[in-house]
Amino acid sequence: MAEPRPAHLLNHIDGAWVPSSSGAVRANLNPADTDEVIGRFAESDAKDATAAVDAASAAQASWDALGPIERATFLTAAARLIEERREEFAEAITREQGKRLSEARGEVSRSLAILEFTIGEARRINGVTTPAEEPRTIAMTFRRPLGVVGLITPWNFPVAIPMWKVAPALIAGCTAVLKPSPLTPWTSALLVEAFADAGLPTGVLNLVQGDREPGETLVADPRVAGISFTGSLPVGQAINKAGAGRLMRTQLELGGKNALIVLSDADLDAAVDAIAHGAFGQSGQRCSATSRVIVDRSVREDLLERLVPRVRAMRIGPGDQDGADIGPVVNDERMRACLTAVGTAVAAGATVACGGRAAELDTPGYFVEPTVLTDVAWDSEIAQEEVFGPVLSVIDCDGYEDAMRISNSVRYGMSGTIFTQNPSLMFQALQDFQAGMLHVNRPGVGAYSHLPHMGAKASQLGAPECSPDVWDFYTDLRSACIRY
């Protein structure tokens, strides 16, 4: 696989690849082989973030003046470059994040689909005309760019999630500072490089690598009009609180504790396929991952007889290894969190049906066995709190009403899934789930590239992403009355 080029180890500020102001760097490890240091990337501080905001602020007026249709031409050029470089993106994702190469390639394809959708929306950033109360008067609304925005992104989708923030921000006429996770700096650098090579004007999109300090600086800078953040609930709450005093706009996509309901009439083979994909795809490191299966007692044993052997047979290995079904988790902290969660669940009465341990392979990496827990109480910690790893809780229920009560018992509301052959209950579930992305008789892992990616309750605050409604974050609405 390719190695990061020297430019990728740096920040990208005001059109130039530059080191951190302090010269500090951070080692980026391969989670499948921790003996491998992929590269030493810039470790930025407040000065770097401020310099990036300086550049974005200086570029704002001229970028706004182009209008969305002309701005979209730069995104179209970037899409062509990403298409040409898709394998380089996929290899970088697998090396630094750990997901299987097929999953990484799928993420690149999704990123391109999101970009294509957003480019099309450039001609539909609409206002409305309305009747006026006076004669010879036109009443109308239109949109204006929000301004400079900070885009703070996680490590689990290191190109797709930055894409679904960067693309609408630029189309809307905002200039941006991208602050990715310090665990996936290489992929973010590839993305910013593609936009730069597409001819994006200097200062429109800036990249600041690093951990907490540059992110906090973006939130505190009064020139940053909005923060779009994807990550954990505690960090999202801290961002919202820190910006509240100056009425900073936020768009927060946070955690999930997602349920897949299996009723007594479900197609169990189809349900097992969906569970295996939803719970263990990408090693369970998705905000929409299936972390709870709520199954009717009448089919519990039949489901487990199909599910547990399927999970036991999963082959664990590096993401670039042929035949691997499940790769590593992203780092030691995530591995320890998964194993601790299993231990806490067992102490509370749960049974390990399979997995539950660190997997030992030929290379040192952060591998966790795919784990199925049974006898899980609906209100136990493992059933209520996000694990973000390949750990699935199976919870028994008595019919539809009990299943929905359990599903809605958590504070999160990212996705909800039901398996049933009853058309009435299919549609009733769409009304009853307290979640943003809903699925019937299919895996419950997010939505299509043109459907809103959103949650409910503590999973979401602000406008949904991957949606025409995203302009409610990146733009301000204006009204005008014109007498003629």
Side-chain angles (χ1 to χ4, degrees), residues 278-319:
F280 303 110
Q282 202 173 300
S283 301
Q285 298 173 118
R286 294 184 284 211
C287 63
S288 59
T290 300
S291 59
R292 295 179 295 157
V293 167
I294 303 170
V295 57
D296 191 279
R297 294 180 196 276
S298 65
V299 294
R300 174 189 189 270
E301 293 306 317
D302 288 343
L303 181 76
L304 291 175
E305 285 176 3
R306 291 167 168 82
L307 176 62
V308 173
R310 172 80 167 267
V311 177
R312 281 200 185 112
M314 288 182 174
R315 294 160 293 184
I316 306 168

Side-chain angles (χ1 to χ4, degrees), residues 175-422:
T175 54
V177 179
L178 174 62
K179 208 298 290 180
S181 166
L183 300 178
T184 51
W186 182 13
T187 311
S188 301
L190 287 173
L191 181 63
V192 171
E193 180 186 47
F195 280 96
D197 289 351
L200 197 69
T202 296
V204 170
L205 176 61
N206 305 275
L207 172 68
V208 177
Q209 305 281 15
D211 202 353
R212 181 171 178 168
E213 186 173 342
E216 290 178 338
T217 303
L218 292 177
V219 174
D221 194 314
R223 297 171 297 172
V224 177
I227 294 287
S228 180
F229 168 78
T230 299
S232 71
L233 176 59
V235 176
Q237 290 171 322
I239 289 172
N240 201 47
K241 182 178 179 180
R246 63 181 183 88
L247 303 181
M248 181 187 73
R249 192 174 300 178
T250 56
Q251 180 187 47
L252 308 175
E253 195 260 285
L254 307 170
K257 191 64 183 176
N258 310 296
L260 185 151
I261 294 172
V262 182
L263 296 184
S264 59
D265 65 342
D267 180 333
L268 296 184
D269 290 328
V272 166
D273 287 343
I275 294 165
H277 177 65
F280 303 110
Q282 202 173 300
S283 301
Q285 298 173 118
R286 294 184 284 211
C287 63
S288 59
T290 300
S291 59
R292 295 179 295 157
V293 167
I294 303 170
V295 57
D296 191 279
R297 294 180 196 276
S298 65
V299 294
R300 174 189 189 270
E301 293 306 317
D302 288 343
L303 181 76
L304 291 175
E305 285 176 3
R306 291 167 168 82
L307 176 62
V308 173
R310 172 80 167 267
V311 177
R312 281 200 185 112
M314 288 182 174
R315 294 160 293 184
I316 306 168
D320 58 352
Q321 177 179 295
D322 289 340
D325 297 308
I326 186 167
V329 294
V330 73
N331 63 5
D332 180 64
E333 178 183 1
R334 186 88 331 259
M335 182 173 72
R336 287 186 284 107
C338 292
L339 299 178
T340 298
V342 171
T344 301
V346 170
T351 301
V352 178
C354 62
R357 299 173 297 181
E360 296 184 3
L361 303 182
D362 293 337
T363 57
Y366 306 120
F367 295 97
V368 176
E369 294 178 346
T371 301
V372 176
L373 299 171
T374 59
D375 306 312
V376 174
W378 69 269
D379 57 351
S380 62
E381 182 177 341
I382 192 73
Q384 294 287 314
E385 298 300 328
E386 191 173 36
V387 177
F388 222 70
V391 179
L392 175 68
S393 297
V394 178
I395 303 169
D396 304 339
C397 71
D398 296 302
Y400 172 82
E401 297 294 338
D402 191 36
M404 192 58 66
R405 176 191 63 81
I406 295 170
S407 174
N408 292 336
S409 68
V410 299
R411 58 179 171 170
Y412 299 106
M414 187 60 69
S415 74
T417 305
I418 188 167
F419 273 76
T420 180
Q421 300 305 309
N422 185 325

